[in-house]
Amino acid sequence: MGISLKRLDTIIGTRQLLYTLLIIFTLIPMFFPLRLPISISARTKKVYSYIDNLKPGSYIFIDFDYDPAGRGEIEPQAVATMKHLFDKNCKLVIASLGTTGPVMFEIMRKTNPDIFAGKEYGKDWVNIGYVAGGESAAAGLARSISGTVAADAYGNPIGNLPLIKEADKAEQFALAIVYTTGTDTLYYFVRQWFTPYKVPLIMGILGVMGPAAEPFVAAGQAVELLVGQVAGAEYEVLVGRPGIGLGAMDAQSTSHAIILIFIILGNIMFWSVRLRGEKR
Amino acid sequence: MSVVWRRTIPQLLVAIILVVMTALYFLYIDKTTKATLNYWDGLLINYSIVIAAMAAIVGGVDLARYHVSLIMKREREQIPFSLITIILEVVCVIFAFYALATGVPILTQPQFSWIYLNLQVPTSSAMYSILVFYVASAAYRTFRARNPPALLLLIVGVIVMLGNTSLGFAIWPGFTPLKDWIMTVPNAAGYRPIVIGVGLGTIILGLRLILRKEVTWMGRRD
Amino acid sequence: MNYLPVEQVINPAAGTVSLAILIFLSLSGYYYMKLAEKGRTFPVRKIRAFEAIEEAVARSVEMGRPVHYTIGYGSIRTAHAPQYTAGLGVLTHVARLAGKYGARLIVTHGVPEAIASIDEIVRDGYFSEGRPELYNPVDNARYLTDVQFAYASSAQAVIIRENAGANIVIGPFWAESLILAEAGTMVGAFQIGGTARDVQIPFFVLVCDYAFIGEEIFAAGAMASGDIPTLASIRGQDVGKLLSIILIVLGLILLPLGVKLATYLMW
């Protein structure tokens, strides 16, 4: 019996079985949504109320800096928060410290045209594009955007953009939001935007980056974090615009359920084998 | 001479730059001196960019050399992969030269960005997505209540997983705040000593580099 | 003689206390190194992951399988340079062991600036142990690419196709850490992982047989050198830990009294 249990353990532990079930149970809710209720975490509520309490028309700096692999987790956060900011008539200056940022921004803009509807380029929002130099670029942008870049992402001279004439230095921004897949970028903004200029920071990050970014909030260097796709889904609920974040929540639930079932089965097998072994 | 040239000078360079950088960070420096130092700093950064770019060329040659050697070995299974690698490498280099000739920045060069958007973006996303399977199989293997600490890990892991999903909320609404507490209190407390330790380790590594005691990175001993 | 006031000497943004701690730690590290040079010996804490490296290499040789080693991908110009340096330090140890046991060592990486160093380290490992015939630059040191997931998939392919008997990954790692570790699990390799990137440490702790946790990778570099004074510098690291513990406890005691120690440490 002990041997057959071990064999069962091996069968359950087969990668192919687990992987196949995971694919199936991730895809099913995409086609047949379960519409499970979601709770709004205190963290996301805090970000929402912070943005909600901003003075209408505030200048916001956005570092759009995630890579393609992080799109699923961060794009829902970016879309929902940017919609909220535009609804509050905030003016957005968007830049990317990573090379993939501008590409991801264009994909986001093309797939979510509604949030940019009625907003005029140059006055309501500006996309500076990729700024090379990592931390020194962050420092340069904080000192002066027009002094750091000559033209925006579309080739317009930076001096011709009315928004940049109004908001050119870190001090003029009411908030900086960093959407990134790189923990280093968070340090750049803490060191170059928060420490010298005290610009409040909101960090939109991957689920796995949460623990590393946590100390920024505890130390008061960041207002709050938006962590992973869950935060995106929660924010979509708060702004009343369901999107891919919310759509993927069911898939996240079912895939987590499969993993949990496997963990439970694994433990049952482990203890059955162990107890039988001890009896003998 | 060779020893001086190959070992002493690079070690001294590293030591001097480390000391100067630390001093620049900690000491108050008047504006004129700072401007001069910033100039040198910029120059150093430019040198490092040029070195990195040159090193990337060496890397490209290294990659091609390895895959050509595999093709020469006529390993059937490997040949298609090696061929794809070499062809794509050559294609990217051609586009880079084309972009250089036409004065278009490489990132906005249409053919290059086509390759980027249609090959690199989806393949990168696919590799990242593979992680979900790996996380699942790793969780299955490792989350076993072998002993009390493992049981604790298992319980905390399950709470965090449930707290991250709407399924957890449907089972018990308390999972979300419990997960938030775990992440912000015990988890942050666990991470901080690691971060402090890394800082201490880096300081002592810096000290060894300044004293020319850390030389393993240089390779061959003379 | 007139002395300048402190605020004109020390950059207020950097902090006097930080500078004092830096000087104190450097001096204590230096002190222990000097004592060791004079012949004093200290018990240095053991790092199990470091001790397991020899077993990993020896086992691979017994099984007739290669040893895979990687330091990660990226650029040495970033703040992660110390971790690449630590990775190279441990590589010297692995390369010498590969020479000693006659193992086939495959080093994969995506750090273009480190190509020459890695080549030299591997060559030195085989030559110094009298096994120059085992050194094959094309096979032993492979630069893959500095693009994250391309590097990860390529390193994974090497681990699986070459059927690595040991998989040693030390350096700064991001999302690829689990890809590398799971690849090793798939082929049943003896795995040792180490990184100072806090977010990735749990993956190595869970999946690998042995893991260097955080700063242990820097200590491992010193252990790899085999030089006693260099090894003694780790005592400086431990003094720093002791100081941190004292400050944390002091902070906890002072907090109920209404004194926030952290604000004074920001000076």
Side-chain angles (χ1 to χ4, degrees):
Chain A
M1 185 63 192
I3 295 167
S4 64
L5 266 176
K6 264 193 180 164
R7 189 172 292 167
L8 196 60
D9 190 22
T10 322
I11 293 168
I12 293 171
T14 319
R15 279 167 193 281
Q16 287 80 351
L17 177 70
L18 177 56
Y19 293 178
T20 314
L21 285 174
L22 258 180
I23 292 180
I24 294 171
F25 280 88
T26 309
L27 287 177
I28 287 176
M30 300 261 188
F31 296 104
F32 309 102
L34 306 172
R35 299 188 208 291
L36 288 167
I38 75 159
S39 66
I40 313 291
S41 64
R43 188 171 261 175
T44 310
K45 272 186 204 151
K46 191 172 162 195
V47 175
Y48 181 84
S49 64
Y50 191 87
I51 292 181
D52 215 43
N53 290 328
L54 285 173
K55 227 167 46 185
S58 300
Y59 300 109
I60 313 293
F61 183 86
I62 293 179
D63 175 42
F64 213 90
D65 196 9
Y66 54 85
D67 57 31
R71 186 185 164 205
E73 284 193 70
I74 298 182
E75 193 182 277
Q77 302 171 2
V79 173
T81 41
M82 282 168 79
K83 177 186 160 44
H84 193 192
L85 289 166
F86 274 140
D87 287 349
K88 298 245 355 155
N89 279 324
C90 291
K91 318 258 182 226
L92 314 185
V93 175
I94 298 150
S96 305
L97 293 189
T99 47
T100 51
V103 182
M104 300 325 289
F105 175 74
E106 291 310 324
I107 292 175
M108 189 279 279
R109 195 160 69 95
K110 279 180 192 142
T111 46
N112 300 278
D114 58 308
I115 62 165
F116 291 88
K119 296 290 168 187
E120 194 183 330
Y121 184 77
K123 274 188 182 165
D124 296 311
W125 68 281
V126 158
N127 179 19
I128 296 172
Y130 171 60
V131 187
E135 184 159 359
S136 37
L141 291 172
R143 274 196 301 272
S144 164
I145 294 171
S146 56
T148 309
V149 284
D152 70 359
Y154 313 109
N156 306 309
I158 208 85
N160 293 357
L161 301 164
L163 179 53
I164 299 295
K165 282 180 194 154
E166 295 163 26
D168 187 42
K169 295 180 172 78
E171 294 103 318
Q172 292 163 315
F173 290 94
L175 174 70
I177 307 183
V178 189
Y179 301 114
T180 184
T181 40
T183 320
D184 299 350
T185 318
L186 303 177
Y187 283 96
Y188 300 164
F189 275 86
V190 167
R191 286 196 288 250
Q192 306 300 340
W193 280 67
F194 176 78
T195 309
Y197 305 104
K198 298 285 172 278
V199 179
L201 298 176
I202 286 176
M203 299 166 173
I205 53 174
L206 296 173
V208 72
M209 291 160 68
E214 196 58 60
F216 294 132
V217 181
Q221 291 158 324
V223 175
E224 204 33 279
L225 315 172
L226 289 171
V227 185
Q229 181 226 332
V230 190
E234 290 169 352
Y235 217 98
E236 285 174 2
V237 172
L238 290 171
V239 294
R241 184 188 180 279
I244 52 167
L246 206 54
M249 274 310 279
D250 283 343
Q252 194 167 2
S253 285
T254 47
S255 53
H256 274 62
I258 286 293
I259 299 174
L260 281 172
I261 291 169
F262 267 77
I263 291 173
I264 294 167
L265 281 177
N267 275 285
I268 294 173
M269 290 299 147
F270 174 75
W271 278 101
S272 312
V273 173
R274 194 182 235 196
L275 290 175
R276 274 172 203 279
E278 275 170 13
K279 267 183 199 166
R280 241 180 254 155
Chain B
M1 183 60 200
S2 156
V3 178
V4 175
W5 193 244
R6 285 177 35 137
R7 301 195 68 87
T8 318
I9 291 177
Q11 285 170 13
L12 280 176
L13 270 176
V14 169
I16 291 167
I17 290 172
L18 265 171
V19 172
V20 172
M21 298 283 254
T22 315
L24 285 187
Y25 180 76
F26 279 108
L27 303 184
Y28 179 83
I29 293 151
D30 68 279
K31 275 187 183 160
T32 26
T33 324
K34 206 167 191 172
T36 324
L37 289 170
N38 274 344
Y39 169 75
W40 287 100
D41 186 34
L43 211 60
L44 265 181
I45 290 172
N46 286 346
Y47 277 136
S48 71
I49 291 172
V50 172
I51 291 170
M54 289 298 163
I57 297 174
V58 177
V61 174
D62 203 42
L63 187 75
R65 184 177 69 156
Y66 174 64
H67 284 281
V68 167
S69 81
L70 287 181
I71 293 172
M72 305 280 269
K73 275 190 204 159
R74 295 176 193 275
E75 284 180 27
R76 262 212 180 158
E77 284 180 6
Q78 183 60 40
I79 286 177
F81 298 111
S82 294
L83 270 179
I84 289 173
T85 310
I86 293 171
I87 291 169
L88 280 176
E89 195 183 348
V90 171
V91 167
C92 284
V93 169
I94 291 171
F95 284 143
F97 275 112
Y98 180 67
L100 204 67
T102 50
V104 184
I106 184 80
L107 285 171
T108 49
Q109 207 264 340
Q111 286 81 5
F112 185 83
S113 61
W114 186 90
I115 291 183
Y116 184 79
L117 272 177
N118 296 288
L119 285 177
Q120 194 177 325
V121 170
T123 45
S124 281
S125 304
M127 272 314 286
Y128 185 60
S129 317
I130 280 179
L131 269 178
V132 73
F133 300 111
Y134 288 177
V135 166
S137 53
Y140 171 74
R141 277 198 326 275
T142 53
F143 279 175
R144 302 240 165 137
R146 288 186 176 89
N147 46 41
L151 178 67
L152 185 67
L153 182 73
L154 173 67
I155 294 170
V156 172
V158 170
I159 294 171
V160 173
M161 279 170 84
L162 287 171
N164 263 332
T165 58
S166 33
L167 177 74
F169 181 71
I171 297 171
W172 179 50
F175 277 126
T176 313
L178 194 56
K179 176 215 82 179
D180 281 348
W181 181 82
I182 289 172
M183 295 306 280
T184 47
V185 184
N187 183 62
Y191 266 103
R192 285 198 189 164
I194 294 176
V195 175
I196 293 171
V198 169
L200 297 171
T202 313
I203 290 173
I204 297 297
L205 177 78
L207 176 74
R208 289 202 296 265
L209 282 167
I210 290 171
L211 297 174
R212 295 169 51 207
K213 286 284 179 193
E214 182 82 35
V215 289
T216 45
W217 56 275
M218 302 194 67
R220 197 187 310 180
R221 294 162 293 179
D222 285 290
Chain C
M1 189 172 168
N2 292 324
Y3 291 99
L4 280 170
V6 170
E7 60 268 24
Q8 282 180 32
V9 179
I10 294 171
N11 177 7
T16 316
V17 177
S18 312
L19 180 62
I21 292 176
L22 177 74
I23 292 171
F24 171 71
L25 287 179
S26 306
L27 285 178
S28 60
Y30 182 73
Y31 169 74
Y32 285 114
M33 284 163 94
K34 280 286 151 203
L35 278 189
E37 273 174 15
K38 283 179 190 158
R40 273 278 294 275
T41 49
F42 310 100
V44 175
R45 66 192 148 101
K46 288 201 164 113
I47 297 175
R48 285 173 65 200
F50 186 78
E51 289 170 353
I53 292 176
E54 186 153 4
E55 187 190 343
V57 176
R59 266 205 210 181
S60 300
V61 175
E62 269 175 28
M63 293 187 289
R65 290 158 67 180
V67 174
H68 173 257
Y69 188 96
T70 186
I71 61 162
Y73 80 100
S75 170
I76 221 150
R77 289 186 296 130
T78 62
H80 303 293
Q83 297 192 54
Y84 294 118
T85 313
L88 293 177
V90 180
L91 176 61
T92 48
H93 181 59
V94 176
R96 277 173 217 162
L97 286 173
K100 181 178 162 191
Y101 288 101
R104 181 176 158 222
L105 176 62
I106 303 172
V107 186
T108 61
H109 68 104
V111 191
E113 297 98 322
I115 293 172
S117 285
I118 289 173
D119 223 25
E120 288 278 278
I121 290 169
V122 176
R123 182 185 180 279
D124 181 58
Y126 282 124
F127 276 66
S128 63
E129 295 296 329
R131 303 297 297 269
E133 75 282 3
L134 293 176
Y135 173 64
N136 172 2
V138 179
D139 183 58
N140 293 140
R142 303 180 193 171
Y143 169 78
L144 304 175
T145 163
D146 62 352
V147 177
Q148 182 180 23
F149 289 108
Y151 156 76
S153 72
S154 196
Q156 174 180 244
V158 170
I159 296 167
I160 293 172
R161 285 187 207 146
E162 303 274 5
N163 195 19
N167 182 29
I168 307 171
V169 281
I170 293 163
F173 292 97
W174 286 262
E176 71 281 5
S177 62
L178 190 62
I179 296 178
L180 300 173
E182 275 295 288
T185 311
M186 281 183 210
V187 292
F190 187 101
Q191 302 212 82
I192 299 169
T195 182
R197 295 262 354 283
D198 44 6
V199 182
Q200 304 300 331
I201 295 170
F203 294 120
F204 284 149
V205 171
L206 279 181
V207 179
C208 295
D209 296 290
Y210 291 92
F212 290 94
I213 298 176
E215 42 83 39
E216 285 180 351
I217 65 166
F218 302 119
M223 288 177 169
S225 72
D227 178 38
I228 292 171
T230 309
L231 200 58
S233 68
I234 301 174
R235 301 273 297 188
Q237 219 163 301
D238 292 346
V239 169
K241 279 188 179 173
L242 193 67
L243 181 70
S244 312
I245 294 169
I246 293 170
L247 287 175
I248 291 168
V249 174
L250 200 64
L252 282 173
I253 295 169
L254 291 176
L255 203 58
L257 304 173
V259 184
K260 211 174 169 191
L261 187 65
T263 46
Y264 296 100
L265 293 179
M266 296 287 185
W267 278 0

